[in-house]
Amino acid sequence: MDDSRPIFLQIAEQIENDILSGALQEESQAPSTNEIAAFYRINPATAAKGVGLLVEGGILYKKRGIGMFVAEGSRLAIARERREQFHAEYLRPLLVEATKLGITRDQIAEMIGKEGIA
Amino acid sequence: MTAAIEVTGLTKRFGKMLAVDDVSIRVEENQITGLLGRNGAGKTTLMQLITGQQFATSGLISVFGESPVENARVLRDVCFIKESQKYPEDFAPKHVFATAPLFFPRWDAELAEQLIDDFRLPLHRRIKKLSRGQLSSIGVIVGLASRAPLTLFDEPYLGLDAVARQVFYDRLLRDYAEHPRTVILSTHLIDEVSDLLEHVLLIDDGRIVMDETAENVRGSASAVAGPRSSVDAFVAGRRVLHRDDIGGLSSVTIPGLGYDDRLAATAAGLEIVPVSLQQLVIRTTSIRAEELETSA
């Protein structure tokens, strides 16, 4: 856990990452609050808050008496939300650093080309 | 939420020494609260008052809705693990674990067995032959296995090595998750426990200087680092908690940054370095020390 942001946000993000990567499939059971607390060595109330955030956002849903499950369509929903943050959180800092180093627009384009992104 | 502990205007004097100075706090039921502060700040005295082991000079203390002083109904629900617990000279750990259930109605012998195993505690060795760490592990085992609705750990791990401390944190979390109870953890090893805490109380010079949820404390300060002119421009008009300068570079600790602040700082080419709870405690208590010096 890094110190700069609330832990419950980081827990929510970590679960989202697992859904994005396919480690957690849609309609499969998500880890329980106590499992998350034990794994990351955090307070169970904090873990519950992270899970609660995802329930609120419709990413996870509760099956009574069984536990939390990954909602259908959550993968796409997460990706859509992350795309909106991509510009501010990744592209801006990249351009700031590139300007500092004197890397031109064409050079950046060339690098991206070499990485072979679609 | 219900309060496990409510303290109002609590003061404790030892002669001229003011150990606890007009403290008012509320500890929520079934939370893990960290009681932090420097040596001599008043942590132990405050816990002794809460557990009825000291008489208050003035003020009110309520534990589970009643005064703890000479109150068996409250005290059987309380377990206070002290830094240097004394045991009878001819005791061995097995005697401690045979006696403990008499005082703690919720004692779980199975959990105790398992913890004795985890800490590799020699049950039959005499107390005075035990190492400092083994002595501490007895306290930790009693504290966990007692399952007391209010459990206080006062620097419970003198002499415990890093592995044993991790065992303590893991077992505490696991057992707390299954059997929620009110835990107060007083410690100097702030970085090790900061993720376990739900609430933070910081005491300095007998007074409470921080009473916050752990989530609010986290991210309540950040250090902004970069070229001095850019840093100065960014922190202008903000409260500065701490400042380090080296050559043309500055690192300035300021209170919490919002999402937009962060983006602005990054866009200005500044680096944002998180401030840990431990660093924040050091900053907070040393700022107060400076204020006291200048006012004296």
Side-chain angles (χ1 to χ4, degrees):
Chain A
M1 298 289 110
D2 85 60
D3 273 321
S4 62
R5 291 168 317 127
I7 306 179
F8 74 93
L9 284 182
Q10 298 181 53
I11 293 299
E13 235 175 66
Q14 189 53 51
I15 297 171
E16 284 185 349
N17 284 343
D18 291 344
I19 297 171
L20 277 177
S21 74
L24 263 180
Q25 293 283 336
E26 290 180 7
E27 295 301 337
S28 73
Q29 186 165 6
S32 77
T33 301
N34 287 350
E35 283 167 350
I36 296 170
F39 185 80
Y40 291 104
R41 297 200 166 107
I42 57 169
N43 191 293
T46 313
K49 207 170 161 191
V51 169
L53 199 67
L54 295 179
V55 172
E56 238 170 71
I59 301 296
L60 298 181
Y61 69 95
K62 192 174 190 170
K63 275 192 193 170
R64 284 193 62 168
I66 309 178
M68 291 295 172
F69 283 76
V70 181
E72 203 190 317
S74 58
R75 198 160 170 238
L76 212 68
I78 297 165
R80 201 178 299 133
E81 206 190 308
R82 293 272 182 106
R83 271 179 216 144
E84 284 170 22
Q85 298 162 0
F86 183 79
H87 181 264
E89 286 180 8
Y90 293 90
L91 198 58
R92 280 300 314 165
L94 179 128
L95 294 177
V96 168
E97 182 73 7
T99 312
K100 219 182 333 184
L101 301 178
I103 299 172
T104 66
R105 174 195 293 252
D106 288 345
Q107 285 167 323
I108 294 174
E110 197 189 320
M111 285 182 213
I112 294 173
K114 272 189 195 151
E115 289 293 324
I117 190 170
Chain B
M1 278 191 282
T2 10
I5 304 170
E6 261 186 298
V7 166
T8 320
L10 183 65
T11 295
K12 174 68 187 177
R13 264 175 207 286
F14 296 103
K16 281 187 174 166
M17 221 274 282
L18 196 53
V20 172
D21 183 4
D22 193 20
V23 163
S24 297
I25 50 166
R26 198 184 137 90
V27 175
E28 299 298 338
E29 203 165 26
N30 297 341
Q31 290 196 348
I32 302 180
T33 297
L35 179 60
L36 314 176
R38 304 181 60 178
N39 286 330
K43 303 188 293 282
T44 300
T45 308
L46 181 57
M47 286 189 281
Q48 287 174 333
L49 288 163
I50 288 169
T51 53
Q53 302 189 352
Q54 288 278 0
F55 294 109
T57 306
S58 61
L60 287 175
I61 305 167
S62 149
V63 177
F64 299 124
E66 297 182 44
S67 165
V69 177
E70 312 265 337
N71 187 340
R73 225 179 8 252
V74 169
L75 294 179
R76 68 161 179 237
D77 282 347
V78 175
C79 177
F80 182 18
I81 300 301
K82 280 174 265 186
E83 186 174 354
S84 322
Q85 176 68 50
K86 297 276 183 290
Y87 303 95
E89 274 283 293
D90 52 351
F91 256 40
K94 63 174 176 181
H95 298 119
V96 178
F97 300 126
T99 318
L102 306 177
F103 296 96
F104 302 111
R106 290 177 178 76
W107 181 263
D108 186 316
E110 210 176 298
L111 176 62
E113 291 282 327
Q114 194 195 325
L115 292 165
I116 290 162
D117 241 31
D118 290 340
F119 285 105
R120 301 182 187 169
L121 183 67
L123 273 182
H124 304 285
R125 196 174 298 169
R126 296 235 293 195
I127 292 278
K128 61 178 171 189
K129 303 257 182 203
L130 295 180
S131 72
R132 187 55 253 185
Q134 288 171 326
L135 216 48
S136 293
S137 66
I138 297 179
V140 164
I141 294 168
V142 171
L144 292 174
S146 67
R147 293 235 171 95
L150 173 60
T151 307
L152 302 98
F153 290 102
D154 185 9
E155 296 288 347
Y157 28 47
L158 202 65
L160 284 188
D161 61 32
V163 177
R165 293 202 299 273
Q166 198 59 66
V167 170
F168 169 55
Y169 303 139
D170 285 350
R171 297 301 177 268
L172 171 65
L173 264 189
R174 198 170 65 189
D175 204 59
Y176 166 80
E178 286 164 15
H179 304 272
R181 51 205 194 255
T182 309
V183 177
I184 295 186
L185 186 55
S186 163
T187 177
H188 291 121
L189 302 173
I190 300 171
D191 275 344
E192 287 191 2
V193 303
S194 63
D195 290 354
L196 310 184
L197 305 178
E198 191 167 352
H199 201 90
V200 176
L201 291 171
L202 176 58
I203 185 167
D204 194 31
D205 209 18
R207 269 169 287 193
I208 297 291
V209 294
M210 189 190 286
D211 180 356
E212 274 287 356
T213 65
E215 283 298 350
N216 282 348
V217 175
R218 180 174 287 273
S220 70
S222 309
V224 181
R228 183 177 298 180
S229 55
S230 320
V231 171
D232 282 344
F234 186 78
V235 302
R238 294 174 198 263
R239 181 164 168 250
V240 171
L241 296 174
H242 182 76
R243 174 171 198 118
D244 285 316
D245 294 301
I246 171 168
L249 295 176
S250 295
S251 169
V252 174
T253 305
I254 53 175
L257 287 177
Y259 182 73
D260 292 339
D261 284 330
R262 284 172 186 281
L263 290 182
T266 319
L270 297 174
E271 201 185 335
I272 299 174
V273 190
V275 175
S276 72
L277 178 59
Q278 174 149 319
Q279 288 167 322
L280 192 62
V281 164
I282 293 169
R283 300 273 184 262
T284 309
T285 44
S286 57
I287 281 180
R288 276 186 41 83
E290 277 166 31
E291 280 169 4
L292 289 175
E293 270 162 35
T294 46
S295 68

